[in-house]
Amino acid sequence: MLKQGKHKKKFIALPAVFMIAIVVAVFAISPNAKAAQYSADVNADRENGVCNYTLAGIDTAQTSGMTTKVTYKDESENTVTVLEQPVTFTAENCQNGQYSGSFSLSDLSTYAYREYTVSFLMSDGTPVEAAAKCDFSIHRDKFTLDVAGYKSKTNRTISLVNKENDIIIPGKDSQIQLSILKKNGKDEKKVGTATVIPTATKNWDVDLTKYCNTYGTYYARFTVINSKLSGGSEMLAQKEFNLALTYGKIGSKSTSKTEKNQTFRVFVEKVNSALVVKNVTFNIYNSAGKLVCTEKGVHNGTSTYYYSDIPLKTINYKFGNYKIEVSVTDNAGIVRILKKTGTASVRVKTGTLTVTKLANGTAKFRLKNAYIPGNIKSVRFKVYSIKNGKRTLIKKLIGVYSNETYIANYQYMVSGRTQVVACGYTQWNKEIKFKTKEFSVKSSEVGKNGWRYEKYAGKVYKFYYKNGEKLTDLTNVLKLKKGNNKLKIVVNRAACCVTIYAYDSQKKAYIIPVKTCTVSVGRDTATTSGAAGLSISSSYTPLGSYSISSNGTAAKYSLKPMGEPDGSTVYARWASHVVGNVYFHAIAVGSQSHYALRASNYNKLGSAASAGCIRMTVADAKWLYDYAAVGSSVKIEKGNSKKPGPLGKAATIKIAESINYDPTDPSVPAATKKKDYKAGRISGYMTSKGKKVGY
């Protein structure tokens, strides 16, 4: 019985040892082997900022609970734990070996936009980690930041372009803020208020003048705003852009208007400023680098063109090349001198001078394409005789303008080496030398001298020549004496021209043209009436034959009061009576003064403008008063405007509205005339010795 018992005992002991081995084997299984029975899954609800997770394979008989752990890696690859959440398994929350839970961004101890690792530590010590991460990162690859608009434009469109309409930032408790700041990170200014995170592309139209006060490089920056973020915000993106002042050509030009106004135009094109142009200033420098003029620019309508018309007077009428510097002031008060400069060529063009010798003892002078800034007032050709190295002026000729050319004909006066100098005269009466030419004149080519009978308009007249030039005033040649000359005075009413003749004892007729005067006759030039219809209200110069102050009642007057149709009284100097209420006289004035002349009346000389009298310059009226004896013949003809008389029609002086005297009046001081002539207020004058200047 013992053996059996012994044997029985042996048999029973073997199963016990086996069971102990199984238990040891079970507890010797590794944590990884245990973790293999679990499966974990996570799903990020980015829109709401919630991470849902599920853990399966739970045996509540062995595991009573777990701790959910959420971590992320910082910039230094250190693990940061942001949530540890204990969970106790119950029949309600753990069914069929599966537990589901969640956490939100707001549950995290540190709020950061990262990819989070979700892991579980089971109560039996088994670690489990979800294979996927909970993506609460910013999807920076899903969007771009664009700044549209040229660098000189004030208004720009800044866009957050959501390329896939993605939830680029998780959660609903964050906003984004657009701001503008300098490239150095300073002077950051918010654009409007923070707004919700867009799930589609969103544009901001921005007026940069509200946020930028200098030119240069700036950033447009989007920042995520959330009070739970470290520092309350995190930069989402930024884009560099530039603010600039741009411009095109800087230069100068002349127009008919600038020439008339004696100016030259400077300009700058295509001026655009991101800070808006307030004004433009032009600084003008001479060739020595001296600032000679500063003028404000004028904005040409709604374009980007600015200009200024610079008076030649401000550069003291000095011709040459000038540098144009432009400064631009914007609405921010910044004054920027543009790097580029322009050139204003305020220069004389001397043109081309040609001398053509003709077969009739004359030469034709032509000056072509000459130019003076501010317009050429006149051109004269000065003719010199050159002998033994000495130059002597023998003639001045006024150029007649035609087709961009000034022309004059020179009747040879002396033989030998001859020089012509073409000179231009400015509006301010400065002489500018253009070109010089020399030519030779043979003795056989020299023109007429002395008395010659020649025809004009089918009639023979006796002219006097000096060195080939027909003289138009024979007062000294004939040695006329004041008050003792029987003369014939012919009025060509159509031409407003008076020619005075002396008696030729050879031909026994008044055929020597002594002098010509340009006048104003009566306004009514259509009538053919004679003296019978004259009255205080008539306005014609009567046709017919009369004489100077020989009617027995009228005489000559150094100052003659005259009644006007309106009852007023005017005063006429050097009046010589013709017939009725018709006189030769200087233009009447409103008072007994040499400074009471109306410029408008004076400038009408050469046209029909009077009430019937024959208006003259003071010099011409006094000549007639002095040299035409009482009884001298006066013939008033209808005449022909194209044939004024054998001596032609004399040039007249023009005066400005500010001038109140006759430039031929010997009572007006020569210094006054010279000053006004130099200033361009009168086109010419007569000296006290009777020399004509400027006409």
Side-chain angles (χ1 to χ4, degrees):
M1 296 235 357
L2 289 170
K3 283 184 179 178
Q4 288 180 342
K6 286 182 179 179
H7 285 294
K8 192 175 182 180
K9 287 181 179 179
K10 275 186 175 181
F11 181 78
I12 295 171
L14 284 174
V17 172
F18 181 74
M19 289 300 294
I20 292 170
I22 292 173
V23 171
V24 171
V26 169
F27 282 97
I29 296 173
S30 67
N32 290 335
K34 289 185 176 183
Q37 74 184 45
Y38 298 104
S39 63
D41 188 26
V42 296
N43 176 43
D45 178 359
R46 291 178 57 80
E47 182 177 0
N48 295 297
V50 175
C51 182
N52 299 301
Y53 62 85
T54 300
L55 182 65
I58 301 170
D59 183 355
T60 55
Q62 295 180 358
T63 306
S64 62
M66 67 178 180
T67 298
T68 302
K69 189 175 182 180
V70 181
T71 62
Y72 71 89
K73 296 286 188 180
D74 64 13
E75 288 77 4
S76 301
E77 290 298 312
N78 296 317
T79 299
V80 179
T81 301
V82 294
L83 179 66
E84 286 186 308
Q85 191 177 54
V87 175
T88 301
F89 297 138
T90 66
E92 287 77 18
N93 64 19
C94 186
Q95 297 179 6
N96 300 321
Q98 182 173 296
Y99 176 84
S100 296
S102 67
F103 63 88
S104 67
L105 279 169
S106 59
D107 294 329
L108 305 181
S109 59
T110 302
Y111 199 115
Y113 295 113
R114 297 288 190 275
E115 285 189 336
Y116 291 92
T117 298
V118 182
S119 62
F120 310 92
L121 183 61
M122 311 308 292
S123 60
D124 62 5
T126 304
V128 181
E129 182 177 311
K133 296 184 183 297
C134 186
D135 183 9
F136 283 158
S137 66
I138 296 173
H139 284 182
R140 298 182 187 276
D141 61 332
K142 302 293 186 181
F143 70 90
T144 57
L145 193 166
D146 289 340
V147 181
Y150 192 59
K151 61 185 178 181
S152 63
K153 293 302 181 183
T154 300
N155 297 307
R156 308 285 181 89
T157 298
I158 300 175
S159 303
L160 187 63
V161 181
N162 194 330
K163 295 184 286 187
E164 299 177 10
N165 293 340
D166 185 56
I167 306 297
I168 58 177
I169 300 174
K172 290 188 172 182
D173 57 347
S174 297
Q175 293 182 307
I176 58 169
Q177 174 68 58
L178 172 61
S179 59
I180 305 295
L181 65 157
K182 292 181 179 177
K183 188 176 181 181
N184 61 10
K186 296 181 179 180
D187 298 333
E188 183 172 358
K189 296 178 181 177
K190 294 179 180 179
V191 178
T193 57
T195 184
V196 295
I197 310 296
T199 56
T201 296
K202 182 175 176 61
N203 299 323
W204 284 258
D205 292 324
V206 181
D207 179 359
L208 294 180
T209 60
K210 298 178 181 178
Y211 308 101
C212 305
N213 56 12
T214 59
Y215 299 110
T217 303
Y218 286 81
Y219 283 124
R221 175 181 289 176
F222 281 110
T223 304
V224 181
I225 307 297
N226 194 308
S227 60
K228 296 178 182 178
L229 286 168
S230 177
S233 64
E234 180 178 333
M235 188 178 76
L236 179 63
Q238 66 181 20
K239 182 70 175 282
E240 183 180 291
F241 66 92
N242 289 304
L243 287 186
L245 169 65
T246 61
Y247 57 96
K249 181 181 178 183
I250 300 171
S252 70
K253 66 179 181 179
S254 295
T255 65
S256 58
K257 182 179 179 180
T258 61
E259 292 294 316
K260 181 179 179 181
N261 295 334
Q262 298 178 38
T263 61
F264 63 95
R265 177 164 293 183
V266 295
F267 65 86
V268 57
E269 297 177 334
K270 301 177 182 178
V271 182
N272 288 287
S273 170
L275 300 179
V276 182
V277 176
K278 184 177 182 181
N279 57 61
V280 169
T281 302
F282 294 94
N283 299 315
I284 311 300
Y285 294 84
N286 63 17
S287 57
K290 181 182 178 181
L291 179 65
V292 295
C293 177
T294 296
E295 293 288 342
K296 291 290 185 183
V298 178
H299 191 198
N300 185 15
T302 57
S303 73
T304 56
Y305 177 90
Y306 291 81
Y307 71 93
S308 181
D309 291 337
I310 310 296
L312 293 172
K313 186 176 181 180
T314 64
I315 60 171
N316 295 319
Y317 301 105
K318 292 182 179 179
F319 301 130
N321 285 332
Y322 288 83
K323 184 178 80 172
I324 308 166
E325 180 186 80
V326 181
S327 67
V328 178
T329 303
D330 55 41
N331 279 354
I334 301 171
V335 179
R336 176 70 59 89
I337 295 177
L338 304 186
K339 290 182 179 179
K340 293 182 182 178
T341 60
T343 300
S345 182
V346 189
R347 302 182 68 86
V348 172
K349 294 180 182 177
T350 56
T352 303
L353 174 62
T354 59
V355 176
T356 305
K357 296 185 70 175
L358 305 177
N360 59 354
T362 62
K364 186 178 287 293
F365 304 145
R366 290 185 176 90
L367 178 69
K368 189 172 183 179
N369 295 328
Y371 167 75
I372 299 175
N375 277 335
I376 296 174
K377 179 181 179 182
S378 63
V379 166
R380 293 187 184 181
F381 298 93
K382 295 181 178 181
V383 184
Y384 295 89
S385 174
I386 303 175
K387 292 182 179 179
N388 301 321
K390 185 180 180 180
R391 195 175 70 162
T392 304
L393 179 66
I394 56 175
K395 184 67 177 177
K396 291 182 181 179
L397 300 169
I398 297 175
V400 177
Y401 184 76
S402 175
N403 193 26
E404 298 184 355
T405 304
Y406 291 88
I407 302 171
N409 291 312
Y410 167 60
Q411 182 80 43
Y412 301 144
M413 299 174 67
V414 296
S415 61
R417 186 177 164 200
T418 306
Q419 183 186 77
V420 57
V421 180
C423 297
Y425 295 85
T426 67
Q427 297 292 339
W428 52 97
N429 296 315
K430 179 181 179 181
E431 181 183 278
I432 303 292
K433 180 181 174 181
F434 285 134
K435 291 284 188 178
T436 300
K437 282 278 186 180
E438 290 191 6
F439 59 99
S440 295
V441 177
K442 298 177 181 178
S443 298
S444 59
E445 295 176 316
V446 176
K448 309 167 188 176
N449 275 291
W451 294 103
R452 300 179 75 93
Y453 288 102
E454 293 177 350
K455 280 188 176 182
Y456 171 80
K459 294 182 181 180
V460 175
Y461 295 94
K462 189 176 184 179
F463 299 102
Y464 189 84
Y465 286 87
K466 184 178 180 180
N467 296 324
E469 180 183 9
K470 182 190 293 183
L471 299 190
T472 57
D473 189 338
L474 303 185
T475 305
N476 294 329
V477 173
L478 295 172
K479 298 180 180 179
L480 297 179
K481 303 294 182 181
K482 290 183 178 180
N484 192 30
N485 306 286
K486 288 288 186 178
L487 302 171
K488 181 179 180 181
I489 304 158
V490 177
V491 180
N492 181 335
R493 199 171 71 176
C496 290
C497 182
V498 170
T499 305
I500 301 158
Y501 299 89
Y503 187 74
D504 177 29
S505 57
Q506 250 183 303
K507 298 289 185 179
K508 300 189 183 307
Y510 285 91
I511 58 170
I512 303 176
V514 177
K515 183 177 174 63
T516 181
C517 307
T518 299
V519 301
S520 285
V521 297
R523 294 185 296 275
D524 182 0
T525 56
T527 184
T528 57
S529 300
L534 291 174
S535 68
I536 195 169
S537 60
S538 61
S539 60
Y540 68 92
T541 302
L543 302 178
S545 297
Y546 311 102
S547 62
I548 293 291
S549 305
S550 60
N551 63 355
T553 58
K556 292 186 177 184
Y557 302 89
S558 60
L559 185 67
K560 171 69 175 174
M562 291 183 164
E564 292 285 272
D566 62 1
S568 63
T569 300
V570 294
Y571 299 89
R573 281 192 169 78
W574 313 115
S576 298
H577 185 253
V578 179
V579 64
N581 57 356
V582 176
Y583 291 78
F584 290 105
H585 62 76
I587 295 173
V589 293
S591 64
Q592 299 181 43
S593 169
H594 294 279
Y595 303 96
L597 180 69
R598 289 180 62 183
S600 58
N601 287 341
Y602 192 82
N603 290 332
K604 290 176 182 176
L605 281 172
S607 62
S610 77
C613 286
I614 302 157
R615 297 176 181 173
M616 313 178 85
T617 65
V618 168
D620 287 344
K622 189 174 188 307
W623 189 96
L624 197 67
Y625 179 92
D626 286 342
Y627 289 103
V630 171
S632 291
S633 169
V634 177
K635 186 176 183 182
I636 302 174
E637 302 175 334
K638 188 173 183 180
N640 186 330
S641 61
K642 295 183 179 180
K643 296 178 180 179
L647 295 180
K649 186 175 180 178
T652 59
I653 299 169
K654 298 299 180 184
I655 64 176
E657 287 297 321
S658 59
I659 299 300
N660 56 8
Y661 65 85
D662 184 333
T664 70
D665 189 343
S667 298
V668 176
T672 299
K673 299 176 186 177
K674 188 174 181 180
K675 180 181 178 182
D676 287 333
Y677 176 70
K678 189 175 181 180
R681 290 187 284 270
I682 59 177
S683 65
Y685 65 96
M686 186 176 286
T687 67
S688 57
K689 294 182 179 180
K691 181 182 177 181
K692 293 181 178 180
V693 177
Y695 75 105

